[in-house]
Amino acid sequence: MRLSLGLVVACCVLPGCASVDPYAHAPVTQTLQREDALGECARRFQASDALIDAIGTRDAQEPRVPGFPYLRVDRVLARLAPTAAGEVEQTLAWREALAALDDAARRFELGNAGVDGALATALTTCRQQLALADRHDLPMLIDAARVPDDYSNSMRALGLYPLTRHAFAAGIRNWQRDTLADFATHAVTDPVAHRRLRYILAESPDGVPMLKEPAAPGLPLMSPSELARLIVRHAPRFEIETASDDDRPGAVTWQSDQTGHLQIGIAREQPVLYVRSSHAQLDGHWLLQLIYTVWLPARPALGAYDVLAGRLDGVVWRVTLAENGSPLIYDTIHPCGCYHLFIPTEHVRARPQPETIEEGLFIPQALRAPAPHQRVVLKLAAFTHYLQRAGIESARRDDGVVLALRDEHQLRALPLPGGGTRSAFMPDGLVAGSERLERFFFWPMGIRSAGQMRQWGRQATAFVGRRHFDDPALLDRYFERLP
């Protein structure tokens, strides 16, 4: 009974259950009271947000800025925030980047709600008017543009985190030992080579999605053609041990189940590699990151009490590039934020880490940076889809199933079988139907629904400690570049 009550209380304090109302803060609180065109603009934004929340099409990738609900922020832009509003030109350019995030997210939200695009266009005009009126509130904007932590202090308090974290830390150490042993085995031999299916990317730039790089001050500039070239060059290849259809990657789609209800599924007949870009800071320099994701139908149960099993799974592979386009660091997670591994190249070294119980830098192998005519190959296990080894091969080797490249932002507005669109992610950033039983045991670590698949920006990657996959300062915490 005590456990049940604790779970009920924990559910009430989970992140996302009660979000901050961006209209309850200045300066928008005053703007809403105005009886002129500016006040009408603020009320139009408020009405559109009320509609989005009522229909349930909120997009959780970037939160709205309290007091400035026509702007949104991610962790990169939060770190790029000017140190003082006196840097007017830089601040205005930075604010434009926040506005672009809101415009993109709001178009997804309104489109998924079935609202005509004319409203999003009208809101664009209102956004410009509100930004002009709020130009004297730039210090307030700089202070407010923060991304909330994806950890719940309340859950950790209820779960006696200072005590229970020791048991979880021991479990993490056991997983790390098993992972090191698996990587060591596959460095020498591959006992399941005959069961692996290969997946490759076409080397042609045709069909490469034209990712839109954020135009924020401080970030490196890159042409669409150069970005497309880097996407093809650094896309990983996969050798997946295949024991069932659950080990075959595909496109994320809305599907009807046997009862006619819609659910997110994987179309295995459409092998897909999703890609997005981001940025990280290392030794004071902003660097481009390319993030690739394969989605799989499920992680099947390995026993009667496998709390890690469930529908949907995947592998996220991130490449952090030097200014010349060569890789510096690789790292990987599953879309739940779980199993964070780092694979550095010879161009960086790990910083000395303090002795702590917190989940920190875990390096199962290093990898020589591949030459332009070489490609990285990832070996994945059947069932768990754990990474077992990363290697390098010639780009000329072209045997394998061809993966189609798609922009990951497409997951924010997937076609429905009967028409219209809906995001693959719920308003809290989770993928419905991908829950794991582990959530009933892991909640004391402060992560909502541990093991469930998540949207970019919502992936906490440490049970003990605090760490977010999209934190641009993450790599700088662990690595430094070599001369």
Side-chain angles (χ1 to χ4, degrees), residues 391-458:
I392 297 173
E393 69 178 22
S394 170
R396 299 186 185 90
R397 183 179 177 185
D398 59 1
D399 58 308
V401 178
V402 176
L403 294 165
L405 265 178
R406 291 189 186 175
D407 186 340
E408 188 182 293
H409 288 288
Q410 292 183 11
L411 300 183
R412 302 166 79 181
L414 292 173
L416 293 171
T421 61
R422 184 183 300 176
S423 174
F425 308 100
M426 297 186 294
D428 56 7
L430 302 179
V431 179
S434 65
E435 299 87 349
R436 304 307 201 240
L437 287 176
E438 64 182 286
R439 68 189 187 277
F440 294 116
F441 304 97
F442 284 47
W443 66 265
M445 298 300 98
I447 297 177
R448 182 184 186 215
S449 193
Q452 192 165 2
M453 305 298 107
R454 286 165 157 73
Q455 188 172 11
W456 176 262
R458 305 272 67 85

Side-chain angles (χ1 to χ4, degrees), residues 7-21 53 58 60 148-152 154-155 426-430 447-449 458:
L7 289 175
V8 170
V9 174
C11 289
C12 294
V13 297
L14 292 176
C17 292
S19 58
V20 174
D21 179 8
D53 289 331
R58 175 67 60 202
D149 199 310
D150 281 284
Y151 291 85
S152 168
S154 300
M155 290 172 66
M426 297 186 294
D428 56 7
L430 302 179
I447 297 177
R448 182 184 186 215
S449 193
R458 305 272 67 85

Side-chain angles (χ1 to χ4, degrees), residues 20-26 28-29 32 67:
V20 174
D21 179 8
Y23 293 93
H25 301 263
V28 74
T29 49
L32 287 167

Side-chain angles (χ1 to χ4, degrees), residues 10-82:
C11 289
C12 294
V13 297
L14 292 176
C17 292
S19 58
V20 174
D21 179 8
Y23 293 93
H25 301 263
V28 74
T29 49
Q30 289 80 22
T31 309
L32 287 167
Q33 306 306 315
R34 297 175 60 145
E35 297 299 332
D36 56 6
L38 201 62
E40 178 59 30
C41 272
R43 289 187 289 275
R44 182 173 290 183
F45 267 96
Q46 190 176 42
S48 71
D49 277 326
L51 173 66
I52 289 165
D53 289 331
I55 297 178
T57 58
R58 175 67 60 202
D59 188 287
Q61 184 164 293
E62 302 103 3
R64 291 164 292 165
V65 179
F68 304 83
Y70 56 90
L71 305 175
R72 303 197 192 203
V73 65
D74 60 16
R75 288 190 169 91
V76 170
L77 289 178
R79 189 165 181 84
L80 281 167

